[in-house]
Short mmCIF file of all heavy atoms in Angstrom, two decimals:
data_model
loop_
_atom_site.label_atom_id
_atom_site.label_comp_id
_atom_site.label_asym_id
_atom_site.label_seq_id
_atom_site.Cartn_x
_atom_site.Cartn_y
_atom_site.Cartn_z
N LYS A 17 -33.07 39.34 34.90
CA LYS A 17 -34.17 40.32 34.61
C LYS A 17 -33.67 41.78 34.71
O LYS A 17 -33.93 42.61 33.88
CB LYS A 17 -35.32 40.10 35.64
CG LYS A 17 -36.56 40.89 35.30
CD LYS A 17 -37.71 40.49 36.12
CE LYS A 17 -38.97 41.16 35.70
NZ LYS A 17 -40.11 40.72 36.47
N MET A 18 -32.81 41.99 35.69
CA MET A 18 -32.22 43.34 35.86
C MET A 18 -31.31 43.71 34.68
O MET A 18 -31.36 44.78 34.15
CB MET A 18 -31.40 43.42 37.15
CG MET A 18 -30.85 44.83 37.41
SD MET A 18 -30.03 45.01 39.07
CE MET A 18 -28.52 44.03 38.74
N LEU A 19 -30.50 42.69 34.25
CA LEU A 19 -29.66 42.92 33.10
C LEU A 19 -30.43 43.20 31.82
O LEU A 19 -30.17 44.14 31.11
CB LEU A 19 -28.73 41.71 32.90
CG LEU A 19 -27.71 41.81 31.76
CD1 LEU A 19 -26.81 42.93 31.91
CD2 LEU A 19 -26.97 40.50 31.59
N HIS A 20 -31.49 42.40 31.62
CA HIS A 20 -32.34 42.63 30.43
C HIS A 20 -32.95 43.97 30.51
O HIS A 20 -32.99 44.74 29.49
CB HIS A 20 -33.40 41.54 30.35
CG HIS A 20 -34.20 41.71 29.11
ND1 HIS A 20 -35.32 42.49 29.01
CD2 HIS A 20 -34.10 41.22 27.83
CE1 HIS A 20 -35.82 42.47 27.79
NE2 HIS A 20 -35.07 41.70 27.07
N GLU A 21 -33.42 44.43 31.67
CA GLU A 21 -34.02 45.72 31.77
C GLU A 21 -33.04 46.86 31.44
O GLU A 21 -33.40 47.81 30.73
CB GLU A 21 -34.59 45.96 33.17
CG GLU A 21 -35.19 47.34 33.48
CD GLU A 21 -35.61 47.43 34.89
OE1 GLU A 21 -36.27 46.49 35.45
OE2 GLU A 21 -35.35 48.50 35.48
N ARG A 22 -31.81 46.72 31.92
CA ARG A 22 -30.83 47.76 31.65
C ARG A 22 -30.43 47.69 30.13
O ARG A 22 -30.35 48.79 29.50
CB ARG A 22 -29.62 47.52 32.46
CG ARG A 22 -29.84 47.92 33.91
CD ARG A 22 -28.66 47.72 34.79
NE ARG A 22 -28.94 48.10 36.12
CZ ARG A 22 -28.06 48.16 37.09
NH1 ARG A 22 -26.83 47.90 36.81
NH2 ARG A 22 -28.44 48.52 38.29
N ILE A 23 -30.25 46.53 29.59
CA ILE A 23 -29.84 46.42 28.18
C ILE A 23 -30.95 46.98 27.28
O ILE A 23 -30.74 47.65 26.23
CB ILE A 23 -29.49 44.95 27.81
CG1 ILE A 23 -28.18 44.57 28.52
CG2 ILE A 23 -29.39 44.80 26.29
CD1 ILE A 23 -27.84 43.11 28.38
N SER A 24 -32.26 46.73 27.62
CA SER A 24 -33.31 47.20 26.82
C SER A 24 -33.34 48.73 26.79
O SER A 24 -34.10 49.31 25.88
CB SER A 24 -34.69 46.64 27.32
OG SER A 24 -35.07 47.19 28.56
N ARG A 25 -32.72 49.41 27.67
CA ARG A 25 -32.76 50.89 27.72
C ARG A 25 -31.63 51.51 26.78
O ARG A 25 -31.61 52.69 26.57
CB ARG A 25 -32.55 51.37 29.14
CG ARG A 25 -33.77 51.08 29.94
CD ARG A 25 -33.46 50.98 31.44
NE ARG A 25 -33.71 52.25 32.12
CZ ARG A 25 -33.38 52.45 33.37
NH1 ARG A 25 -32.67 51.55 34.02
NH2 ARG A 25 -33.63 53.61 33.92
N LEU A 26 -30.76 50.67 26.23
CA LEU A 26 -29.74 51.09 25.39
C LEU A 26 -30.31 51.34 23.98
O LEU A 26 -31.31 50.79 23.65
CB LEU A 26 -28.63 50.02 25.26
CG LEU A 26 -27.83 49.72 26.50
CD1 LEU A 26 -26.93 48.46 26.26
CD2 LEU A 26 -26.96 50.92 26.95
N GLU A 27 -29.62 52.15 23.20
CA GLU A 27 -29.96 52.32 21.78
C GLU A 27 -29.81 50.98 21.05
O GLU A 27 -28.96 50.16 21.42
CB GLU A 27 -29.05 53.35 21.11
CG GLU A 27 -29.20 54.74 21.68
CD GLU A 27 -30.63 55.32 21.49
OE1 GLU A 27 -31.15 55.11 20.37
OE2 GLU A 27 -31.18 55.89 22.38
N PRO A 28 -30.57 50.74 19.97
CA PRO A 28 -30.52 49.42 19.32
C PRO A 28 -29.09 49.05 18.82
O PRO A 28 -28.71 47.87 18.98
CB PRO A 28 -31.41 49.69 18.10
CG PRO A 28 -32.37 50.70 18.51
CD PRO A 28 -31.60 51.64 19.44
N PHE A 29 -28.33 49.93 18.38
CA PHE A 29 -26.95 49.61 17.90
C PHE A 29 -26.05 49.09 19.11
O PHE A 29 -25.36 48.07 18.99
CB PHE A 29 -26.27 50.77 17.21
CG PHE A 29 -24.96 50.48 16.55
CD1 PHE A 29 -24.97 49.77 15.31
CD2 PHE A 29 -23.76 50.78 17.11
CE1 PHE A 29 -23.74 49.50 14.70
CE2 PHE A 29 -22.55 50.54 16.47
CZ PHE A 29 -22.54 49.80 15.27
N ASP A 30 -26.17 49.80 20.21
CA ASP A 30 -25.36 49.40 21.45
C ASP A 30 -25.92 48.10 21.93
O ASP A 30 -25.17 47.25 22.40
CB ASP A 30 -25.49 50.45 22.53
CG ASP A 30 -24.63 51.72 22.12
OD1 ASP A 30 -23.77 51.58 21.23
OD2 ASP A 30 -24.79 52.72 22.78
N ARG A 31 -27.26 47.91 21.92
CA ARG A 31 -27.88 46.65 22.36
C ARG A 31 -27.35 45.51 21.55
O ARG A 31 -27.03 44.41 22.04
CB ARG A 31 -29.39 46.76 22.19
CG ARG A 31 -30.18 45.83 23.08
CD ARG A 31 -31.63 45.97 22.86
NE ARG A 31 -32.06 47.40 22.95
CZ ARG A 31 -33.25 47.86 22.58
NH1 ARG A 31 -34.14 47.01 22.08
NH2 ARG A 31 -33.56 49.04 22.68
N ALA A 32 -27.16 45.71 20.24
CA ALA A 32 -26.69 44.65 19.36
C ALA A 32 -25.28 44.32 19.69
O ALA A 32 -24.89 43.10 19.80
CB ALA A 32 -26.76 45.12 17.87
N ILE A 33 -24.42 45.29 19.95
CA ILE A 33 -23.00 45.09 20.28
C ILE A 33 -22.91 44.26 21.63
O ILE A 33 -22.19 43.31 21.73
CB ILE A 33 -22.20 46.35 20.37
CG1 ILE A 33 -22.08 46.91 18.93
CG2 ILE A 33 -20.89 46.13 21.02
CD1 ILE A 33 -21.45 48.30 18.94
N VAL A 34 -23.68 44.66 22.61
CA VAL A 34 -23.60 44.00 23.95
C VAL A 34 -24.15 42.56 23.82
O VAL A 34 -23.58 41.65 24.43
CB VAL A 34 -24.27 44.82 25.09
CG1 VAL A 34 -25.74 44.69 25.12
CG2 VAL A 34 -23.68 44.45 26.44
N LEU A 35 -25.20 42.37 23.01
CA LEU A 35 -25.68 41.03 22.82
C LEU A 35 -24.61 40.07 22.22
O LEU A 35 -24.40 38.97 22.70
CB LEU A 35 -26.93 41.02 21.96
CG LEU A 35 -27.47 39.68 21.48
CD1 LEU A 35 -27.95 38.89 22.75
CD2 LEU A 35 -28.57 39.82 20.52
N LEU A 36 -23.95 40.56 21.22
CA LEU A 36 -22.93 39.76 20.60
C LEU A 36 -21.76 39.52 21.58
O LEU A 36 -21.22 38.39 21.63
CB LEU A 36 -22.39 40.49 19.32
CG LEU A 36 -23.39 40.60 18.18
CD1 LEU A 36 -22.91 41.57 17.13
CD2 LEU A 36 -23.65 39.28 17.60
N TRP A 37 -21.37 40.49 22.37
CA TRP A 37 -20.32 40.39 23.34
C TRP A 37 -20.76 39.32 24.36
O TRP A 37 -19.98 38.48 24.81
CB TRP A 37 -20.06 41.71 23.99
CG TRP A 37 -19.04 41.66 25.02
CD1 TRP A 37 -17.64 41.52 24.88
CD2 TRP A 37 -19.25 41.68 26.50
NE1 TRP A 37 -17.07 41.46 26.12
CE2 TRP A 37 -17.99 41.60 27.16
CE3 TRP A 37 -20.37 41.88 27.26
CZ2 TRP A 37 -17.87 41.62 28.50
CZ3 TRP A 37 -20.22 41.85 28.62
CH2 TRP A 37 -18.99 41.74 29.23
N LEU A 38 -22.03 39.36 24.80
CA LEU A 38 -22.49 38.39 25.75
C LEU A 38 -22.51 36.96 25.21
O LEU A 38 -22.44 35.96 25.97
CB LEU A 38 -23.90 38.76 26.29
CG LEU A 38 -23.96 39.92 27.18
CD1 LEU A 38 -25.46 40.38 27.39
CD2 LEU A 38 -23.30 39.64 28.56
N GLU A 39 -22.56 36.84 23.89
CA GLU A 39 -22.46 35.52 23.24
C GLU A 39 -21.07 35.07 23.04
O GLU A 39 -20.78 34.10 22.36
CB GLU A 39 -23.20 35.59 21.90
CG GLU A 39 -24.64 35.84 21.93
CD GLU A 39 -25.43 34.56 22.30
OE1 GLU A 39 -24.90 33.44 22.00
OE2 GLU A 39 -26.49 34.66 22.88
N ASP A 40 -20.07 35.81 23.63
CA ASP A 40 -18.62 35.48 23.51
C ASP A 40 -18.13 35.50 22.06
O ASP A 40 -17.26 34.74 21.68
CB ASP A 40 -18.33 34.07 24.12
CG ASP A 40 -18.44 34.17 25.68
OD1 ASP A 40 -18.17 35.23 26.27
OD2 ASP A 40 -18.87 33.17 26.25
N ILE A 41 -18.62 36.41 21.28
CA ILE A 41 -18.19 36.59 19.92
C ILE A 41 -16.97 37.48 19.90
O ILE A 41 -17.04 38.54 20.59
CB ILE A 41 -19.30 37.07 18.97
CG1 ILE A 41 -20.45 35.99 18.96
CG2 ILE A 41 -18.80 37.44 17.64
CD1 ILE A 41 -21.63 36.33 18.15
N PRO A 42 -15.88 37.13 19.25
CA PRO A 42 -14.75 37.96 19.27
C PRO A 42 -14.96 39.35 18.61
O PRO A 42 -15.79 39.51 17.78
CB PRO A 42 -13.69 37.17 18.41
CG PRO A 42 -14.27 35.85 18.19
CD PRO A 42 -15.74 35.92 18.49
N TYR A 43 -14.21 40.37 19.12
CA TYR A 43 -14.37 41.71 18.62
C TYR A 43 -14.32 41.81 17.06
O TYR A 43 -15.10 42.59 16.53
CB TYR A 43 -13.30 42.61 19.25
CG TYR A 43 -13.50 43.04 20.68
CD1 TYR A 43 -14.29 42.30 21.51
CD2 TYR A 43 -12.79 44.06 21.17
CE1 TYR A 43 -14.46 42.61 22.82
CE2 TYR A 43 -12.95 44.45 22.53
CZ TYR A 43 -13.73 43.72 23.37
OH TYR A 43 -13.94 44.09 24.61
N ASP A 44 -13.44 41.09 16.41
CA ASP A 44 -13.29 41.23 14.99
C ASP A 44 -14.56 40.70 14.31
O ASP A 44 -15.00 41.26 13.30
CB ASP A 44 -12.05 40.52 14.47
CG ASP A 44 -11.97 39.04 14.76
OD1 ASP A 44 -12.55 38.65 15.80
OD2 ASP A 44 -11.25 38.36 13.99
N GLU A 45 -15.14 39.69 14.85
CA GLU A 45 -16.44 39.13 14.29
C GLU A 45 -17.60 40.07 14.57
O GLU A 45 -18.42 40.33 13.75
CB GLU A 45 -16.69 37.78 14.81
CG GLU A 45 -17.75 37.02 14.00
CD GLU A 45 -17.89 35.54 14.36
OE1 GLU A 45 -16.93 34.93 14.93
OE2 GLU A 45 -18.89 34.97 14.06
N ILE A 46 -17.65 40.65 15.82
CA ILE A 46 -18.67 41.64 16.13
C ILE A 46 -18.48 42.81 15.12
O ILE A 46 -19.49 43.33 14.56
CB ILE A 46 -18.52 42.17 17.59
CG1 ILE A 46 -18.82 41.04 18.58
CG2 ILE A 46 -19.47 43.35 17.82
CD1 ILE A 46 -18.55 41.38 20.01
N ALA A 47 -17.28 43.27 14.88
CA ALA A 47 -17.03 44.33 13.96
C ALA A 47 -17.60 44.02 12.60
O ALA A 47 -18.22 44.88 11.94
CB ALA A 47 -15.48 44.68 13.87
N ALA A 48 -17.33 42.79 12.08
CA ALA A 48 -17.85 42.44 10.76
C ALA A 48 -19.40 42.41 10.75
O ALA A 48 -19.96 42.79 9.76
CB ALA A 48 -17.26 41.03 10.41
N ILE A 49 -20.00 41.98 11.86
CA ILE A 49 -21.42 41.91 11.93
C ILE A 49 -22.13 43.27 11.88
O ILE A 49 -23.06 43.52 11.16
CB ILE A 49 -21.91 41.05 13.11
CG1 ILE A 49 -21.51 39.66 12.96
CG2 ILE A 49 -23.42 41.23 13.35
CD1 ILE A 49 -21.63 38.78 14.22
N VAL A 50 -21.58 44.19 12.72
CA VAL A 50 -22.24 45.50 12.89
C VAL A 50 -21.60 46.57 11.92
O VAL A 50 -22.18 47.69 11.83
CB VAL A 50 -22.18 45.98 14.34
CG1 VAL A 50 -22.94 45.02 15.23
CG2 VAL A 50 -20.79 46.22 14.83
N GLY A 51 -20.52 46.26 11.30
CA GLY A 51 -20.01 47.18 10.32
C GLY A 51 -19.08 48.26 10.82
O GLY A 51 -19.14 49.47 10.29
N ILE A 52 -18.37 48.07 11.88
CA ILE A 52 -17.42 49.02 12.40
C ILE A 52 -16.10 48.29 12.65
O ILE A 52 -16.05 47.06 12.50
CB ILE A 52 -17.89 49.69 13.66
CG1 ILE A 52 -18.14 48.70 14.89
CG2 ILE A 52 -19.16 50.52 13.45
CD1 ILE A 52 -18.51 49.31 16.20
#
């Protein structure tokens, strides 16, 4: 609950990156998904 509360305070783009990272998705795949 505390983690969700903190993540929900991030900007949507950062929230997306951290969500993908928490899903154990490799950096190169995260990069392809978010476009950086």
Side-chain angles (χ1 to χ4, degrees):
K17 190 171 185 175
M18 185 175 72
L19 180 61
H20 184 273
E21 179 181 315
R22 288 180 179 187
I23 291 171
S24 71
R25 292 156 96 190
L26 296 171
E27 293 298 318
F29 189 76
D30 289 345
R31 200 179 313 164
I33 290 172
V34 81
L35 172 64
L36 293 167
W37 178 75
L38 287 171
E39 293 281 333
D40 290 327
I41 294 179
Y43 284 18
D44 58 336
E45 196 171 338
I46 294 172
I49 292 168
V50 299
I52 61 175

